[in-house]
């Protein structure tokens, strides 16, 4: 049975259809991995929904009952006509906290948000769960709402895109270039990842697809020299947005971080009146390890924002709430697919609503 539960942990996020309860009177509509329970909707009372704890894992995997299965409980909480008072049940807050943890927000951030929700519920005299959940959505949206506008949206800017290998850094650069070119801007790409084999070729393909110019040197060249030449070429071509690829560097590799600092100095010297943003690309699947990555990069590279990729999978991306809480870094773009127009400007309200 334990092996079956471990198997469920791997497969539950990928469930595309729901299964019937043992007696056929309801349908499983939610799997709660932390509480090892499910929530079911009753066929004879479709307006009600409730928890079915200690459910046999075999039911979740096959939809069939086994001998001695416990009966489906009848004390379900209504979700429409008769809102259940939120102040009278601690279980509701526990469910919200578990949901935030499962969304990769982390325990500390989840507890802070829950404390803020309790205060909001008390202050606004919220009496039903739907209103309390809506209040939580608002708190999460406010937590990730950028305090300052994005420099590239306001005018000429330079963007340094950093992150470890495999998070979608080069791909995001091509999509950002496409996004701004379609708005009438003139991006210039700098292939400053001279460390990884074929990195310039990969970025060149994205430059071709986005129809924007790119400057590259040979493998092993000085990345700062690439940035310098890209700035010169951009000035000659009338470009107003410099986007620099960088080597997939780990946040604990000091030599590569020093190299990044050198590129920032070149930009500051050659474009003294142009704001420079350093954006960290984070994979939504990474989970809480992304917080450690962000903290390391922030200390060494002076981060100003985050790009969250791979939100089209099973990951919910709640880790950016933890990053915003710990480091105050705003999310600027989210990746929702593989096509060139699948990188979208971050909408905190839509993100919070989808997350919860």
């Amino acid at each position: 049975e334990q092996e079956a539960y471990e198997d469920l942990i791997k497969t539950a996020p990928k469930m595309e259809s729901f299964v019937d309860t043992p007696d056929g009177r309801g349908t499983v509509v939610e799997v709660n991995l932390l509480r090892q329970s499910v929530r079911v909707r009753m066929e004879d009372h479709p307006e009600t929904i409730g928890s079915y704890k200690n459910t046999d894992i075999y039911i979740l995997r096959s939809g069939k009952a086994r001998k001695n299965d416990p009966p489906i409980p009848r004390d379900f909480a209504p979700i429409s006509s008769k809102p259940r008072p939120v102040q009278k049940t601690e279980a509701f807050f526990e469910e919200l906290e578990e949901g935030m943890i499962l969304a990769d927000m982390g325990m500390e951030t989840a507890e802070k948000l829950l404390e803020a929700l309790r205060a909001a519920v008390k202050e606004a005299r919220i009496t039903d769960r739907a209103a309390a959940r809506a209040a939580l959505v608002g708190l999460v949206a406010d937590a990730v709402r950028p305090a300052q506008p994005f420099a590239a949206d306001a005018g000429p800017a330079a963007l340094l895109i950093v992150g470890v290998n495999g998070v979608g850094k080069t791909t995001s650069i091509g999509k950002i270039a496409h996004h701004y070119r379609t708005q009438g801007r003139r991006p210039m790409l700098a292939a400053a990842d001279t460390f990884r084999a074929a990195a310039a070729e990969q970025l060149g393909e994205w430059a071709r697809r986005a129809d924007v110019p790119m400057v590259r040197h040979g493998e092993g060249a000085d990345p700062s020299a690439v940035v310098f030449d890209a700035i010169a070429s951009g000035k000659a071509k009338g470009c107003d947005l410099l986007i620099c690829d960088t080597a997939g560097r780990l946040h604990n590799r000091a030599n590569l971080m020093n190299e990044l600092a050198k590129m920032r100095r070149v930009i500051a010297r050659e474009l003294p009146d142009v704001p420079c943003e350093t954006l960290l690309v984070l994979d939504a699947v990474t989970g809480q390890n992304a917080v450690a990555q962000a903290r390391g990069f922030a200390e060494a590279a002076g981060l100003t924002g985050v790009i969250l990729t791979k939100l089209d999978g099973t990951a919910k991306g709640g880790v950016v709430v933890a990053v915003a809480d710990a480091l105050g870094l705003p999310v600027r773009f989210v990746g929702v697919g593989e096509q060139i127009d699948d990188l979208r400007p971050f909408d905190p309200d839509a993100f919070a609503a989808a997350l919860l």
Side-chain angles (χ1 to χ4, degrees):
E1 187 170 309
Q2 179 61 30
E3 291 180 357
Y5 180 69
E6 293 174 353
D7 183 55
L8 171 66
I9 293 178
K10 299 177 182 178
T11 60
K14 301 179 182 179
M15 292 176 62
E16 296 180 355
S17 60
F18 302 122
V19 298
D20 292 334
T21 52
D23 59 359
R25 299 194 338 246
T27 303
V28 175
V29 295
E30 179 183 307
V31 179
N32 190 318
L33 301 181
L34 286 184
R35 297 177 71 88
Q36 299 188 28
S37 67
V38 296
R39 301 178 73 204
V40 298
R41 188 184 302 277
M42 303 306 293
E43 297 297 337
D44 52 345
H45 294 285
E47 76 282 358
T48 63
I49 193 169
S51 294
Y52 179 32
K53 300 184 67 175
N54 301 320
T55 306
D56 192 337
I57 301 305
Y58 184 78
I59 301 171
L60 301 180
R61 294 197 302 159
S62 66
K64 300 178 181 179
R66 295 195 304 187
K67 187 177 180 180
N68 298 325
D69 279 327
I72 297 293
R74 300 293 301 192
D75 56 336
F76 297 118
I79 61 173
S80 59
S81 58
K82 296 180 180 179
R84 186 174 178 179
V86 69
Q87 296 100 326
K88 296 182 179 180
T89 173
E90 185 65 23
F92 175 69
F93 288 108
E94 292 178 359
E95 290 176 8
L96 291 180
E97 184 177 29
E98 289 167 1
M100 288 187 283
I101 293 172
L102 286 173
D104 284 332
M105 290 190 200
M107 180 68 74
E108 184 177 350
T109 301
E111 289 178 349
K112 288 182 180 179
L113 287 169
L114 201 63
E115 182 179 352
L117 176 62
R118 291 180 189 274
V121 165
K122 182 178 180 180
E123 180 180 354
R125 297 182 179 180
I126 296 174
T127 59
D128 67 272
R129 296 185 176 201
R133 189 177 294 273
L136 179 60
V137 170
L139 289 171
V140 172
D142 290 341
V144 295
R145 198 181 308 280
Q148 301 293 333
F150 187 40
D153 291 337
L159 306 180
L160 275 176
I161 312 300
V162 304
V164 299
N165 284 329
V167 296
K169 178 165 45 63
T170 304
T171 299
S172 296
I173 291 172
K175 294 178 179 180
I176 292 173
H178 171 76
H179 169 74
Y180 283 107
R181 191 190 65 78
T182 58
Q183 294 186 2
R185 303 289 294 278
R186 303 190 65 181
M188 165 64 73
L189 303 189
D193 181 0
T194 61
F195 185 78
R196 180 171 63 90
E201 286 76 6
Q202 182 185 3
L203 186 63
E205 174 59 23
W206 278 105
R208 183 193 65 78
R209 294 176 61 183
D211 192 22
V212 298
M214 184 191 82
V215 170
R216 57 173 294 183
H217 287 188
E219 186 176 336
D222 183 357
S224 297
V226 179
V227 172
F228 178 87
D229 288 349
I231 292 173
S233 178
K235 289 178 179 178
K237 290 181 169 63
C239 296
D240 59 3
L241 181 62
L242 175 68
I243 311 175
C244 304
D245 192 10
T246 62
R249 44 179 60 82
L250 296 174
H251 56 273
N252 57 358
R253 297 183 65 173
N255 58 327
L256 291 177
M257 287 299 182
N258 291 335
E259 189 176 275
L260 181 61
K262 183 180 177 182
M263 284 188 277
R264 288 178 60 86
R265 290 194 298 270
V266 169
I267 294 173
R269 185 184 69 235
E270 299 300 319
L271 298 172
D273 298 323
V274 173
C276 180
E277 296 251 11
T278 303
L279 303 181
L280 173 65
V281 181
L282 292 176
D283 185 337
V285 183
T286 304
Q288 283 297 296
N289 185 51
V291 179
Q293 287 184 25
R295 183 172 285 110
F297 274 101
E299 293 173 354
L303 297 178
T304 60
V306 169
I307 299 172
L308 185 65
T309 63
K310 305 181 184 178
L311 269 182
D312 53 322
T314 57
K316 290 189 174 182
V319 66
V320 296
V321 184
V323 170
D325 177 47
L327 303 172
L329 292 175
V331 182
R332 297 304 188 183
F333 294 94
V334 292
V336 295
E338 297 181 357
Q339 300 303 313
I340 196 168
D341 57 353
D342 284 338
L343 190 74
R344 314 285 172 77
F346 180 66
D347 182 336
D349 296 297
F351 173 79
L355 189 64
L356 299 172

